[in-house]
Amino acid sequence: MRTDVTFTSNGLKIAGHLYLPDYLPNTDTTPGPAVVVGHPGTGVKEQAAGLYAARLAEAGFTALAFDAAYQGESEGEPRGLEDPAQRIEDLKSAVSFLTTRPEVDPNRIGVLGICASGGYSLAAAATDHRVRAVATVSGVDIARQFKVGADGTQDPAVFQGMLDAAAAARTAEARGEGVQSFGLFPATAEEAALGGRHVFEGWEYYATPRAEHPRSAKTLTWSSVDRIATFDAFAAVSLIAPRPLLLIVGRNAVTSWMGVQAFQNAGSPKELHWIDGASHVDLYDKDEYVTPAVAKLAEFYTANLAV
C-alpha cells in the first residue's frame, strides 16, 4: 500500500510516498523496521527510488521514497537546485519523519541511497546514529562525478570551465537576469551515443518512455556546481562503523570505482556486493538486476534491523 506523505526539511515541505507491507496498517501490529530510500540525482520518487521502496515493502519493510528539496513535488526555489548539504538534511529529516510513524520502530531504521543519494546517504548516516544500517545501489559521490567524470578520467579543465560558468551565472542572476541553468541530457539518441554507454543509458532512462517522468529534472541550476565542488561523500564514511554498510555495484558500471573507493574508506562491518552483468543504470529498473539487488538488501536489512 502506498500513501502520500509530507514532512519538513530546513523549513521546506518534502513530498514522499510511504510504502507499507501487506500486514500494515494494523493497529495491533508491533512497530517494525523501516528504510528511507533516496533517489538518484535528477530523479524523482516515482522512478528508481519508488521501485526499490515498493519492493522492500513487499519484503516486509515500511519504506519511504521522497523528492529532494527543490525537485519533484517538494518545495524549494530555484527549481533544479542540487545542494549536497540540503540533500543530506532531507535524508535526516526523512529519518525524523519515520520516527513519528506508528508503524515504525524508531530503533530499526535503515537508509538506502541510489546513485547520488548513495553518496549522500553515506554522509548523512555518518553523523546520524538513528540510522542503524546503510546500503547503496550504484552509489556515487556526485562531486567526484562532476570533477573527474563517471569513469574517473575526465580532464580537470572541464570542471574548471564549469566553475567559470557557475561564477558567470551568479553574476547574471545578481543583475536580474533570472535563474541560470544548464541541460543535463542530449537532445537525441545519436547525440547521447556519442557520449558513450553511460551517457546513453542515462539519456535512455530519463528522456525516453523507459522511465521518463514529467517532474524529473532535465536541467540543473549553475549555482549547483559550486555547491557540489567542495562536497566529499566519502570524507566521513569511516564514522558509519560499527554500524553495517552494504554497497551494491554493477559489475559493468563505469562508476564502480567509486563504490570500491567508498568500501576502502569504510570501517567494518562492510560488504561490497557485485551484480554480474549490470551497468550503473541497469540497477535502476531492469528486473534481472533489481531482483537480486532487492534480495540482497532484504537479507541485509533483516539481519541488521532486527530487534
Side-chain angles (χ1 to χ4, degrees):
M1 187 179 75
R2 193 188 86 182
T3 303
D4 293 346
V5 297
T6 61
F7 57 94
T8 59
S9 176
N10 275 341
L12 299 172
K13 183 185 290 186
I14 303 300
H17 287 159
L18 187 67
Y19 293 82
L20 301 178
D22 287 342
Y23 65 82
L24 293 172
N26 184 335
T27 55
D28 297 326
T29 300
T30 301
V35 180
V36 171
V37 184
H39 63 69
T42 80
V44 287
K45 62 187 180 301
E46 290 84 2
Q47 295 172 319
L51 173 61
Y52 275 84
R55 296 287 292 272
L56 286 170
E58 291 173 3
F61 301 90
T62 295
L64 172 64
F66 65 93
D67 291 332
Y70 306 101
Q71 300 172 27
E73 290 184 300
S74 293
E75 289 184 343
E77 297 288 342
R79 304 306 294 169
L81 175 66
E82 183 76 13
D83 182 350
Q86 178 66 53
R87 283 280 233 143
I88 292 167
E89 188 63 26
D90 291 346
L91 288 162
K92 292 183 178 183
S93 296
V95 172
S96 294
F97 170 74
L98 286 180
T99 67
T100 71
R101 296 291 303 189
E103 309 92 344
V104 176
D105 181 342
N107 295 311
R108 301 171 68 189
I109 297 175
V111 168
L112 168 62
I114 304 169
C115 186
S117 281
Y120 295 137
S121 294
L122 299 178
T127 57
D128 192 337
H129 282 192
R130 299 173 302 172
V131 178
R132 300 306 174 91
V134 188
T136 68
V137 170
S138 294
V140 303
D141 173 14
I142 194 169
R144 283 171 169 80
Q145 185 153 348
F146 267 71
K147 288 188 282 190
V148 299
D151 63 0
T153 65
Q154 177 179 282
D155 186 336
V158 173
F159 189 64
Q160 289 296 330
M162 294 188 74
L163 288 174
D164 287 341
R170 285 186 179 270
T171 297
E173 290 172 1
R175 291 172 175 166
E177 297 175 22
V179 175
Q180 305 290 300
S181 300
F182 61 96
L184 291 167
F185 303 106
T188 66
E190 291 73 22
E191 291 178 18
L194 294 175
R197 180 180 178 184
H198 185 69
V199 171
F200 182 83
E201 288 185 343
W203 171 85
E204 184 183 44
Y205 182 83
Y206 287 108
T208 78
R210 172 180 169 185
E212 65 182 342
H213 192 278
R215 287 191 295 271
S216 69
K218 301 299 189 296
T219 63
L220 285 186
T221 67
W222 276 108
S223 60
S224 302
V225 175
D226 54 27
R227 287 176 167 88
I228 290 168
T230 56
F231 177 60
D232 186 343
F234 306 156
V237 67
S238 63
L239 293 178
I240 294 173
R243 292 167 293 156
L245 172 64
L246 170 66
L247 304 162
I248 296 179
V249 179
R251 184 74 70 178
N252 294 343
V254 299
T255 57
S256 64
W257 63 276
M258 284 188 266
V260 172
Q261 192 170 104
F263 179 79
Q264 292 171 337
N265 289 358
S268 295
K270 60 182 178 179
E271 181 178 0
L272 182 63
H273 182 76
W274 296 93
I275 303 292
D276 287 336
S279 69
H280 178 101
V281 181
D282 285 341
L283 280 165
Y284 287 9
D285 66 336
K286 291 189 177 180
D287 189 65
E288 63 266 39
Y289 306 119
V290 171
T291 292
V294 170
K296 183 65 179 180
L297 290 165
E299 173 189 292
F300 172 75
Y301 289 125
T302 297
N304 293 297
L305 298 180
V307 176

